[in-house]
Amino acid sequence: MSDAPPAKPGSENAEPSTSREKILEVAEALFARRGFAGVGLREVAEAVGLGKSSLFHHFRSKTQLYVAVLGRVLGRIEERVAPSFFDPGAPRERLERCLDALVDALAEHPATARLLLRGLFEDDDFGDEAQPELAATERTLHALLDGMGRLLREGIACGAFRPVSVPDTIQTLIGATVYHFASGEFGEGLIGGPLLSAEAVRRRKAEIRALLRHGLAAPA
Amino acid sequence: MSDAPPAKPGSENAEPSTSREKILEVAEALFARRGFAGVGLREVAEAVGLGKSSLFHHFRSKTQLYVAVLGRVLGRIEERVAPSFFDPGAPRERLERCLDALVDALAEHPATARLLLRGLFEDDDFGDEAQPELAATERTLHALLDGMGRLLREGIACGAFRPVSVPDTIQTLIGATVYHFASGEFGEGLIGGPLLSAEAVRRRKAEIRALLRHGLAAPA
DNA sequence: CCCGTGCCCGACCGAACGGTCGGACGAGCC
DNA sequence: GGCTCGTCCGACCGTTCGGTCGGGCACGGG
């Protein structure tokens, strides 16, 4: 019963070595596809190659496993996006860099966007069980939203952006990024190809850039 | 075992009269909140005020109930949105009308957007059980998407819109509408108030209009 | 009057659920 | 050899799952 990553030194996760990481990897894919209630621990264990009981050695309960997966996903996103909040440069440039980073993070793993979307709009109340872990995840989320909001307000203040409603714009941007990469088979049928190919990712970045330049920029 | 609405004459659904409609109403709300796997039939029956077995008199199985709910929701949306496809007027005007209608349809019931979003990005494979009903729903969906796509292409052809990627733009618009109204507590926390209030709906319409006028319109 | 029909119910089924428990097995340390 | 400790497992628990079954009850037509 460790429930906290064992320091994990310099090693990047080229492939999951420890059982704990393998469980997280598998659970991430499954939860993304079918949601918290739609995944059985039996299935997770089988996919990892362990007995079901062994899962409880690494995670106290199913909900603990879920919040661990959620936290890991959000952590990966913050790791990529947050740096661009404090970069030098004009607000528009920084906002573009930050959204590019977000898209990269979402495109990295196919499960990321779906999991994040589920975490956003689904409210399965985990009755005060995983309080601290969930609180940490929410703090990370708010840090990301605050950073984006600050960037937008700054751009408006210095005249680079139109005086739009900041929360509404953030919602639109989330829709254009998170929803898009979460749309799965439907999205692939719509654009007529894989969502995560290098070309499709490039196209989405261009789309978002255009959205910013034409839809957000103040008229010259 | 009817499984098809009993004609339902002129009566509008001011309140659900028949048991079947009550079941659909309740199931819609529950499925929207917790997803297909997260809702038990026992819970549905209890909320309706019936025994669990009685549900099976009106619907052959849980998945049949789910696709019925999905079809009803999508039907309501098409009912509102489709007319504006064939309206007279310039493409931009018609697109704005059609998106307004979509927003109205999503704002009408709190569950609509969530259910639709789930239907879009969730792929719980209902193993060839509810084939015909699901196919009809997908046909409705494609009709809506085609109508929107035609409107966009038309606008581009006549020079009203920039030569954007039509599928990508549709994805962005879905994100700006369906995702926004599905975002629930998170969205309310972000914009700092209820999502479905008349004022919030008006604001969202304005946001989308601005998105079109600034982000999509061809430069004069 | 009786019988068919629509609607509903309680009791029940096998399967799957999340979770517990006692112990097996190997690596390291004395 | 004996010891602990981390990891893993099979068997098992109570509960809930979707779904079935037989029958009860009201009603309308012969």
Side-chain angles (χ1 to χ4, degrees), chain A residues 19 49-51 53-54 57-58:
Chain A
S19 280
L50 287 179
S53 346
S54 301
H57 175 72
H58 298 278

Side-chain angles (χ1 to χ4, degrees), chain B residues 20-116:
Chain B
R20 189 189 156 88
E21 281 175 281
K22 257 193 274 190
I23 295 172
L24 283 170
E25 205 86 359
V26 165
E28 182 178 323
L30 287 176
F31 282 140
R33 199 165 355 237
R34 288 203 292 285
F36 178 75
V39 174
L41 292 184
R42 184 203 198 94
E43 193 183 357
V44 176
E46 218 163 279
V48 178
L50 288 179
K52 192 186 53 159
S53 343
S54 302
L55 301 187
F56 290 92
H57 176 74
H58 298 279
F59 301 93
R60 241 175 288 138
S61 66
K62 189 190 182 187
T63 64
Q64 287 277 348
L65 171 58
Y66 189 66
V67 302
V69 167
L70 232 58
R72 210 173 71 126
V73 164
L74 208 64
R76 277 200 310 243
I77 290 181
E78 199 212 13
E79 197 176 286
R80 290 243 199 178
V81 173
S84 53
F85 289 154
F86 309 103
D87 271 3
R92 203 200 62 193
E93 232 179 293
R94 277 154 67 204
L95 185 59
E96 282 183 5
R97 251 199 308 248
C98 136
L99 287 172
D100 274 2
L102 177 58
V103 168
D104 282 333
L106 294 176
E108 192 181 19
H109 281 305
T112 305
R114 281 195 190 197
L115 220 28
L116 190 56

Side-chain angles (χ1 to χ4, degrees), chain A residues 32-35 37-39 114 117-118 120-125 141 145 162 164-172 174-176 179-188 190-192 195 200 203-204 207 210-211 214-217 219, chain B residues 32-35 37-39 114 117-125 141 145 162 164-172 174-176 179-188 190-192 195 200 203-204 207 210-211 214-217:
Chain A
R33 200 165 356 238
R34 290 204 291 285
V39 175
R114 282 194 189 197
L117 190 60
R118 281 205 143 91
L120 286 188
F121 89 100
E122 229 159 71
D123 49 328
D124 353 57
D125 52 340
L141 178 60
L145 291 173
R162 292 187 298 119
V164 294
S165 152
V166 171
D168 273 81
T169 306
I170 289 183
Q171 278 282 73
T172 301
I174 292 177
Y179 157 72
H180 176 260
F181 285 105
S183 63
E185 291 185 10
F186 168 75
E188 303 204 334
L190 225 181
I191 73 171
L195 280 179
R203 264 233 313 277
R204 186 92 291 236
E207 175 84 7
L211 198 70
H214 295 94
L216 189 58
Chain B
R33 199 165 355 237
R34 288 203 292 285
V39 174
R114 281 195 190 197
L117 189 61
R118 281 205 144 93
L120 287 187
F121 89 100
E122 228 160 70
D123 50 328
D124 353 56
D125 52 339
L141 178 60
L145 292 173
R162 291 188 299 119
V164 294
S165 152
V166 171
D168 273 81
T169 306
I170 290 183
Q171 277 282 74
T172 301
I174 292 177
Y179 158 71
H180 176 261
F181 284 106
S183 63
E185 290 185 10
F186 168 76
E188 303 204 334
L190 226 181
I191 73 171
L195 281 180
R203 264 231 316 275
R204 186 94 288 239
E207 175 85 5
L211 196 72
H214 294 96
L216 190 57

